[in-house]
Amino acid sequence: MQHNCRWHYLETAEQVAQEASRHILEAANEAIKERGKFKLVLAGGSTPEKVYRLLAETDADWGKWYIYHGDERCLPKDHSDRNSLMARKSFLDQVTIPEEQVFDIPAELGPEKAAEFYHQIVANALPFDMVLLGMGEDGHTASLFPGHQHDKTKLTHAVYNSPKPPSERVSISAKALSDTRQLVFLITGKNKQEAVKEWRMGQDLPVANITPESPVDIYIDNDAFSP
Ligand code: 6PG
């Protein structure tokens, strides 16, 4: 369970996206000023996509950004449900981040091989400057699902039997996602209300197991929050 959550309540999903993109750009400036680069982990899903479209419209020091993915779906590279394709279309194709600084998960190789490959990428990247995550209606985050058992010492996992299609996926582990200077959750939509409630009550959900030392920023819209 996180020890310090900062909940940012916003009216609409659009406002969530605006506030989150502002936060990301600020974190990028700070990281680049202090350490010369910005290592950002992207999330899949519909809420993050809105954020990426806003980022794509702004001007930033793109040459110093390094992009990773929290999870990927085991589908062909050009499949429309790939998180990497969504990120490229909505964001990365629009800006000038050097291609060698964008680290896709090669999920087309299958869960085991891709998880093994990405392990080294993550090991070289840690700590991340910022990790973005969404949350599913069952409290999953990245491709870490309730009830799934993983070796907690690993940096990446091969995922089978995902309840959200496709069933085969690759995910960065809770341990590696927690090794970040900033963690930002993007949560919108009525179907998230129950999981949000459980999370706030301290239930053991995947979303509650990403535990960085720094505070956790949660941007949430009215629909997803029920007091
Ligand atoms: C995925 C995701 C997943 C997602 C949540 C929230 O690839 O499916 O990484 O963890 O972020 O399910 O998705 P929405 O924002 O679409 O509700």
Side-chain angles (χ1 to χ4, degrees), residues 168-193:
E168 297 191 348
R169 293 162 169 254
V170 178
S171 189
I172 297 187
S173 69
K175 172 182 148 136
L177 290 171
S178 302
D179 193 358
T180 180
R181 293 188 173 91
Q182 295 200 49
L183 174 59
V184 170
F185 279 101
L186 307 165
I187 301 178
T188 64
K190 274 202 181 329
N191 59 342
K192 310 286 170 66
Q193 274 190 14

Side-chain angles (χ1 to χ4, degrees), residues 42-48 70-73 81 83 133-137 140-145 164-165 169 186 188 191-192:
L42 301 183
S46 54
T47 317
D71 70 324
E72 186 56 282
R73 305 160 181 192
D81 289 342
N83 288 339
L133 288 171
M135 183 193 74
E137 54 187 283
H140 80 254
T141 193
S143 283
L144 304 169
F145 292 93
K164 180 179 179 182
R169 293 162 169 254
L186 307 165
T188 64
N191 59 342
K192 310 286 170 66

Side-chain angles (χ1 to χ4, degrees), residues 10-14 16 46-47 50 135-137 186-197 219-226:
L10 296 149
E11 285 284 313
T12 63
E14 212 43 60
V16 164
S46 54
T47 317
K50 288 193 178 57
M135 183 193 74
E137 54 187 283
L186 307 165
I187 301 178
T188 64
K190 274 202 181 329
N191 59 342
K192 310 286 170 66
Q193 274 190 14
E194 215 33 56
V196 168
K197 223 186 258 172
Y219 290 91
I220 183 166
D221 74 348
N222 246 336
D223 281 347
F225 180 72
S226 80

